Amino acid sequence: MHTQPADPSVLAHCVAIVVAQNQVDGAALMRLAERLRFGDIIAWTPTLKHDQFSHRLVFFLVHFDFEDGAKTALLKVLRHSGSVSMCYAPVVVFLRSASGGQVRACVEMGFDDVINVPAEGPEIATRLAAQIGREQLYIETRNYIGPDRHRMDHLAAAAQPRQAEEPHARLIILRTVEEGVHIVRREGARKPH
């Protein structure tokens, strides 16, 4: 797979879309996005369209107090948006001192990364930058579009037996500031309608 070292300065060429339940939580995430030096920072609204952004790459930053049902609904809306730049955008949730089970639950929902706070700004920026310039494996099924949920298997105490998988496609995507989101390769079933 194509890789390049994570460079936090690349975030200056990206848009951070902040998703929170209220203005106070949204303002806190906006301050974090400012410290991480995103090129543009805006609050999420369901009417946002991909052509409203000044940069090709979009990150969704989700506050830890956003309810689980709302997180699932948000992921469904984004992953089925019809825009490649939004459908395959990194969606990152911030949790506060979360347990391994809480982290795994967010991975199972389909978040690209789950970051426990408090964490240091440089560590967060590096983790976010790792979503850019590296090939990422996404899985597409009838009910799911998102990062490979089995990527956390190596962290489980004992390997969980997998059930027979439904027809799916494996997509290798690459995000770059120059080209935005590019689907490098698709293997398997076509996207169900």
Side-chain angles (χ1 to χ4, degrees):
M1 289 189 147
H2 172 82
T3 62
Q4 69 184 39
D7 176 9
S9 69
V10 76
L11 298 178
H13 304 284
C14 302
V15 177
I17 300 175
V18 171
V19 183
Q21 284 187 167
N22 57 56
Q23 289 182 339
V24 173
D25 293 345
L29 264 184
M30 286 187 167
R31 286 191 302 275
L32 174 63
E34 287 172 5
R35 286 194 312 270
L36 297 174
R37 301 187 180 194
F38 273 93
D40 201 4
I41 304 161
I42 56 178
W44 161 256
T45 66
T47 59
L48 280 178
K49 302 288 182 225
H50 71 280
D51 58 358
Q52 295 175 282
F53 310 130
S54 56
H55 301 287
R56 290 179 181 254
L57 285 181
V58 176
F59 277 76
F60 289 89
L61 308 180
V62 181
H63 192 272
F64 53 79
D65 279 341
F66 207 58
E67 296 173 354
D68 284 352
K71 288 175 190 165
T72 302
L74 172 71
L75 286 165
K76 185 174 183 177
V77 165
L78 295 178
R79 300 303 189 205
H80 294 90
S81 68
S83 159
V84 171
S85 63
M86 288 180 68
C87 183
Y88 302 107
V91 185
V92 179
V93 64
F94 292 87
L95 299 181
R96 184 176 10 193
S97 303
S99 68
Q102 291 169 308
V103 170
R104 182 175 271 290
C106 287
V107 168
E108 290 293 325
M109 282 183 207
F111 284 96
D112 292 86
D113 200 355
V114 181
I115 298 176
N116 252 327
V117 292
E120 297 298 319
E123 174 190 346
I124 294 172
T126 300
R127 283 185 58 176
L128 295 178
Q131 296 289 329
I132 302 170
R134 298 174 180 203
E135 292 181 350
Q136 308 285 337
L137 173 61
Y138 267 52
I139 302 297
E140 186 177 86
T141 71
R142 186 170 39 94
N143 298 313
Y144 177 81
I145 300 173
D148 178 18
R149 292 185 282 195
H150 297 298
R151 69 192 189 271
M152 295 270 304
D153 281 353
H154 68 281
L155 297 178
Q160 300 292 325
R162 292 187 183 173
Q163 298 178 358
E165 295 181 17
E166 65 180 295
H168 68 280
R170 293 169 44 93
L171 289 85
I172 305 299
I173 64 166
L174 178 64
R175 304 175 184 115
T176 64
V177 294
E178 299 82 15
E179 295 181 28
V181 178
H182 174 68
I183 299 173
V184 176
R185 185 171 57 255
R186 175 187 287 271
E187 304 166 349
R190 299 298 298 174
K191 182 177 179 179
H193 296 287

